[in-house]
Amino acid sequence: MNASAGRDILSIAIPHQIETPRLLMRTYQLPDASVLTEIFRKERDRLRDDFPSRASLVTEAEVETFFFYTMRQWRARTAVYFSLWTKVSPTYVGEVGIKEIVWTIPKADLSYFLTKEAEGKGLATEAVRALVHLAFDALHIHKLQIRCAVENVRSQRVAERCGFLREGVLRSDAVRADGKTLVDLVYYGMTHQDFSSRASSSHE
């Protein structure tokens, strides 16, 4: 049975802003372009392998075009991205997203990255937990997955702290930005039932 049967996908209400204890998660806005252009320049080497589309943004005009693209994805409900800003002395610290949404199941991938200065403070875990709640409570996604390179231990720890289960490793499942180097990916998953069970346990 089509899990999205009878649902008007485009009418699903998705907030443009979410607050967590330390973060303001919001959609990208055009005034952010100059700030993001500089940050993507500084983070280019770190983003090149896992977020090549961000690393490729060089000019402010390219960043603005990227913003418009995320807006189109948002309206089409094919992906939802949030920029991450600290609430104290507002500073851009990264991005989280629900992407590659397959509404016929429905399932989706989660993605996230932090700037170098923001790592090691639990901010990714805080943001991903909020995104998990959005995916299951508002979008009614049935299955979420996180995929990361086997050597990306930081990302794996975030997935595990957020309650995702390691489902396996697929060998040579992705290619680096150089177009040649193949990468083994670790797959993590969480179903709506997993999420509900964890929520019930936490309230017992």
Side-chain angles (χ1 to χ4, degrees):
M1 179 180 176
N2 186 333
S4 63
R7 297 180 65 195
D8 181 359
I9 303 303
L10 299 183
S11 69
I12 295 174
I14 306 175
H16 287 262
Q17 181 172 301
I18 298 172
E19 289 192 36
T20 68
R22 294 179 293 170
L23 294 170
L24 176 64
M25 302 166 53
R26 62 170 173 78
T27 53
Y28 283 110
Q29 301 170 6
L30 286 180
D32 302 332
S34 59
V35 173
L36 269 293
T37 301
E38 177 60 19
I39 290 175
F40 287 152
R41 183 193 66 77
K42 290 173 58 179
E43 302 287 331
R44 186 157 294 128
D45 289 342
R46 298 179 64 250
L47 294 175
R48 184 169 286 116
D49 284 336
D50 296 319
F51 288 86
S53 62
R54 309 300 186 267
S56 67
L57 301 174
V58 176
T59 68
E60 189 168 330
E62 289 173 340
V63 173
E64 290 178 349
T65 298
F66 159 67
F67 289 171
F68 283 120
Y69 176 63
T70 64
M71 292 173 195
R72 289 196 299 271
Q73 289 181 302
W74 181 288
R75 288 193 294 269
R77 298 299 190 259
T78 56
V80 177
Y81 292 101
F82 290 92
S83 58
L84 303 179
W85 302 78
T86 54
K87 292 166 74 171
V88 178
S89 300
T91 303
Y92 178 86
V93 292
E95 173 189 293
V96 291
I98 303 171
K99 64 179 186 177
E100 298 182 24
I101 303 175
V102 180
W103 286 110
T104 53
I105 294 179
K107 68 174 183 178
D109 278 22
L110 291 191
S111 64
Y112 44 89
F113 71 80
L114 293 180
T115 60
K116 184 175 179 58
E117 291 78 9
E119 287 186 336
K121 302 173 183 177
L123 295 176
T125 300
E126 187 172 318
V128 169
R129 283 176 176 160
L131 206 63
V132 167
H133 278 272
L134 175 69
F136 287 126
D137 292 337
L139 277 65
H140 302 293
I141 295 295
H142 175 69
K143 168 94 182 268
L144 290 174
Q145 69 178 20
I146 292 173
R147 296 176 289 173
C148 50
V150 291
E151 65 268 22
N152 191 344
V153 177
R154 280 185 180 274
S155 185
Q156 293 172 47
R157 287 174 178 164
V158 170
E160 291 164 359
R161 282 195 293 266
C162 291
F164 283 76
L165 301 178
R166 183 181 172 114
E167 297 185 333
V169 175
L170 293 188
R171 296 174 297 165
S172 301
D173 197 48
V175 63
R176 290 298 190 196
D178 61 11
K180 301 175 182 178
T181 306
L182 295 176
V183 185
D184 297 345
L185 295 185
V186 184
Y187 277 65
Y188 286 88
M190 181 187 294
T191 66
H192 191 280
Q193 184 176 356
D194 296 334
F195 173 74
S196 298
S197 297
R198 286 175 58 85
S200 296
S201 297
S202 66
H203 288 96
E204 290 179 356

